[in-house]
Amino acid sequence: MSLLAPWACVLVGCIFVSSAEVFSLSDRYPPLWNESPGQFSDYSVENGKYIIDPWVFPKRMGMYKILLNKTASYFEKFAPDNKQNLLWGLPLQHGWQYTTGRLVDPTRTTDCGYESGDHLCISVDSWWADMNYFLCALPFLAAVDSGLMGIPSDQVLLLPPPKDQTKFCLSVSSCQSSFPSTMRKWNAFYKYSCLKNPMDRGAWQATVYGVAKSWTQLGNYHFHFLSFSFHDIKALHVIYIL
Ligand SMILES: *[C@@H]1O[C@H](CO)[C@@H](O)[C@H](O)[C@H]1NC(C)=O
């Protein structure tokens, strides 16, 4: 916290409080967690590749669910039931974006995300949805690439949004060429905390901070990673600050 400017603390405080609401409302799991795909075979397959549409809320949440599942064994020694998995912050924050209406089409030209329309739709016009894409697709695809997911790296393809397609990378190879530094850092993160032995929290935080810092190079955003305990889940929260 001491790293953050006072005005930034206010924003962090808001996110903390809102996350707390999500926690208590949903019995700690992100919204639609049970309905989201939990393994690759829950997605469709085309030409030998798993096809994931990250612009549909449960499908995107499913990517986190698989990521949490596949990294669970590495965090087991800290607490049962995957409670100490530091990656929980990512789906929890995405769930918070969903329940607070941040993923809807802000232009209202489509019914994407609205209760009365396509309520599971994630709008490419939502700033939150676009930022979250990179906090979902990149960690997910880097995990595939690092071998954690147990499938070859060319076996997953994400579907593009209806517009602005060129902004979003869709596969391990295209994300590596568009965001080499971020992909490298996530890979290093998995190597440190999962594939190598005992997790050293200091090293872990350093890696995560590296990931956060590489994010600041993607745009005029500052990202802060913050971990805290809540309801006995140690969650890593990714805080965006404009
Ligand atoms: C991971 O997913 C598999 C298949 O759905 C399930 O059997 C297993 O219990 C899950 N593991 C954890 C730790 O959630």
Side-chain angles (χ1 to χ4, degrees):
M1 281 299 253
S2 58
L3 285 172
L4 306 178
W7 62 267
C9 288
V10 173
L11 185 59
V12 170
C14 292
I15 288 174
F16 184 93
V17 169
S18 302
S19 303
E21 281 165 13
V22 171
F23 266 91
S24 54
L25 282 177
S26 63
D27 194 31
R28 298 199 301 228
Y29 286 99
L32 302 183
W33 186 254
N34 289 337
E35 292 84 347
S36 301
Q39 47 199 349
F40 281 100
S41 56
D42 292 339
Y43 291 105
S44 58
V45 179
E46 255 172 58
N47 300 322
K49 293 181 203 289
Y50 294 107
I51 308 291
I52 302 178
D53 186 350
W55 302 96
V56 175
F57 180 75
K59 303 266 165 95
R60 192 185 286 199
M61 193 52 101
M63 295 164 73
Y64 284 133
K65 198 167 162 185
I66 293 173
L67 185 60
L68 266 288
N69 180 284
K70 299 289 186 185
T71 53
S73 57
Y74 307 101
F75 293 92
E76 232 163 36
K77 52 185 163 296
F78 301 106
D81 303 331
N82 209 12
K83 278 182 187 161
Q84 286 278 341
N85 194 323
L86 288 153
L87 293 169
W88 271 116
L90 297 169
L92 286 170
Q93 195 185 40
H94 187 47
W96 167 76
Q97 292 166 347
Y98 176 75
T99 46
T100 55
R102 281 172 167 74
L103 304 174
V104 306
D105 178 359
T107 67
R108 294 182 175 267
T109 49
T110 69
D111 65 3
C112 180
Y114 289 96
E115 200 67 52
S116 53
D118 188 357
H119 67 286
L120 297 177
C121 173
I122 296 180
S123 172
V124 67
D125 287 311
S126 154
W127 177 86
W128 293 90
D130 292 0
M131 282 299 108
N132 178 264
Y133 182 86
F134 297 103
L135 286 167
C136 180
L138 301 187
F140 180 82
L141 292 172
V144 171
D145 188 41
S146 72
L148 263 180
M149 303 295 213
I151 59 166
S153 26
D154 61 356
Q155 226 177 341
V156 185
L157 198 59
L158 306 183
L159 294 180
K163 60 179 225 194
D164 297 336
Q165 280 105 347
T166 54
K167 256 171 75 182
F168 304 95
C169 59
L170 306 174
S171 62
V172 169
S173 58
S174 72
C175 290
Q176 269 168 346
S177 54
S178 305
F179 305 100
S181 149
T182 309
M183 286 292 277
R184 239 190 338 266
K185 280 169 175 150
W186 275 110
N187 260 309
F189 164 72
Y190 295 122
K191 220 164 136 190
Y192 250 119
S193 44
C194 299
L195 301 173
K196 262 204 183 156
N197 49 6
M199 199 175 69
D200 162 351
R201 297 242 176 208
W204 190 88
Q205 274 170 350
T207 312
V208 168
Y209 194 66
V211 171
K213 263 180 59 182
S214 73
W215 261 93
T216 62
Q217 292 151 17
L218 293 179
N220 295 320
Y221 311 111
H222 296 279
F223 289 79
H224 286 275
F225 281 64
L226 193 69
S227 61
F228 61 86
S229 294
F230 194 79
H231 282 218
D232 73 7
I233 288 183
K234 178 100 171 161
L236 163 74
H237 266 237
V238 187
I239 312 298
Y240 323 79
I241 297 159
L242 257 180

